[in-house]
Amino acid sequence: METALITGASSGIGATFAEALAARGMNLILVARSGDRLQTLARRLEQTAGIQAIAISQDLAEPNAASSLAQAIDAQGMQVDWLINNAGFGDYGPFAERDRQRQLDMVQLNVLSLVDLTHQFLPAMRDRRSGTIINVSSIAGFQPLPYLSVYAATKSFVLSFSGALWAENKPYGVRVLALCPGPTETQFFDAAKFPDSFQAANSKLATPEDVVQAALKGLEDGVSNVVPGASNQFIVNVPRFLPRDFLLTAVEQRFKAPE
Ligand SMILES: NC(=O)c1ccc[n+]([C@@H]2O[C@H](COP(=O)([O-])OP(=O)(O)OC[C@H]3O[C@@H](n4cnc5c(N)ncnc54)[C@H](OP(=O)(O)O)[C@@H]3O)[C@@H](O)[C@H]2O)c1
């Protein structure tokens, strides 16, 4: 039986990955800060899907969290066959006015922890000539986003990093996928403190189930990245056809909080 490590599994896209992979008969290692929510999900999936699931409460924005996590998993004698680097958050507003530590924590979680976890588990996957890594990026990774400046930059990093790893690791039988969802119905917008008026304008949200199914299809197809949904696929291609400064000015207008 294969085992999947899923970060950010306490809600949203991560919890939905847990459901989908349990339904495929995979054992799970679920990680997030909310230990109680993880435990509840783990016990439920064990009962309904007949798999084994362990819950690890860990703040992945703490430096060295990834190596602590890898050591804890190793100490239990477990092997990670699938790594789903999903934990992440955004922070809406003008960069100069937002909390400094929150921006640094975002880079730590969305980028450094993801790179470290990948480095912890990829070598063994290559040795086994088998493994799967899904890194959750975003359509925000395809261009800079005023008022989500650090977030979009972290997702751009994830998209670039994952593309390179996809090409490097194909010969080793390790699949690497950047999953780039558009707006999806999760706690993301509350966590990022989007203004309510802005959320209402974004009424067409995908479901986490659609996003996860698109990722699993992308793995089967062997592609390097997946953008779920036709409208999102259109959006990520727009920057290729517009002058950059024109685009940035238009995006600034689009992302400015409504008065
Ligand atoms: N929803 C969207 O519109 C959208 C679009 C594109 C990309 N994404 C990306 O999708 C991923 C999942 O987000 P989501 O939409 O499912 O939002 P969500 O419901 O807010 O889930 C975020 C998950 O990350 C975990 N997390 C946050 N900070 C953490 C930390 N310091 N250490 C460990 N875990 C932490 C949260 O758990 P705890 O709070 O329990 O720690 C939660 O399980 C993120 O990378 C996000 O950037 C979302």
Side-chain angles (χ1 to χ4, degrees):
M1 248 171 146
E2 288 189 311
T3 298
L5 165 59
I6 306 172
T7 70
S10 63
S11 69
I13 294 169
T16 307
F17 264 116
E19 303 267 359
L21 298 185
R24 291 181 165 209
M26 293 179 66
N27 291 330
L28 301 174
I29 303 167
L30 307 176
V31 184
R33 292 167 303 180
S34 312
D36 290 352
R37 293 175 72 166
L38 291 179
Q39 283 288 358
T40 304
L41 178 61
R43 296 294 80 80
R44 182 167 64 72
L45 292 177
E46 282 190 333
Q47 283 170 6
T48 56
I51 52 118
Q52 291 183 343
I54 65 165
I56 300 179
S57 174
Q58 174 95 53
D59 184 347
L60 291 170
E62 283 177 1
N64 301 321
S67 45
S68 307
L69 179 58
Q71 279 167 17
I73 292 167
D74 201 38
Q76 301 214 24
M78 299 181 77
Q79 169 178 306
V80 172
D81 302 293
W82 286 44
L83 169 62
I84 304 189
N85 280 311
N86 163 77
F89 71 92
D91 187 51
Y92 177 84
F95 174 70
E97 296 173 17
R98 303 305 296 165
D99 180 69
R100 169 184 167 274
Q101 190 57 49
R102 195 162 154 78
Q103 309 314 305
L104 299 180
D105 287 349
M106 199 191 317
V107 175
Q108 185 76 41
L109 178 66
N110 296 10
V111 175
L112 296 177
S113 160
L114 178 146
V115 171
D116 201 356
L117 282 174
T118 303
H119 201 266
Q120 297 285 348
F121 295 107
L122 176 59
M125 291 180 183
R126 282 163 60 109
D127 289 347
R128 294 194 296 269
R129 293 291 193 273
S130 168
T132 298
I133 299 175
I134 300 176
N135 291 330
V136 180
S137 173
S138 167
I139 61 168
F142 286 83
Q143 72 290 298
L145 287 186
Y147 309 111
L148 282 171
S149 55
V150 176
Y151 178 71
T154 67
K155 294 303 180 181
S156 201
F157 180 100
V158 172
L159 180 59
S160 170
F161 175 61
S162 307
L165 293 194
W166 173 83
E168 278 182 25
N169 291 287
K170 256 196 301 183
Y172 293 87
V174 179
R175 304 182 296 182
V176 180
L177 178 78
L179 173 60
C180 306
T184 306
E185 205 174 342
T186 69
Q187 292 169 17
F188 173 83
F189 294 97
D190 287 339
K193 300 187 174 65
F194 270 78
D196 287 345
S197 49
F198 195 94
Q199 289 190 45
N202 253 323
S203 54
K204 182 86 181 72
L205 299 177
T207 66
E209 287 77 15
D210 287 343
V211 168
V212 167
Q213 288 310 318
L216 297 177
K217 166 95 173 41
L219 284 177
E220 277 167 26
D221 294 345
V223 296
S224 67
N225 70 83
V226 162
V227 177
S231 60
N232 293 324
Q233 284 160 20
F234 174 76
I235 288 167
V236 299
N237 277 299
V238 168
R240 294 165 54 198
F241 302 106
L242 293 177
R244 189 167 173 89
D245 293 1
F246 175 84
L247 175 81
L248 292 175
T249 305
V251 176
E252 191 273 334
Q253 289 297 312
R254 169 71 183 81
F255 276 79
K256 192 189 284 184
E259 297 294 326

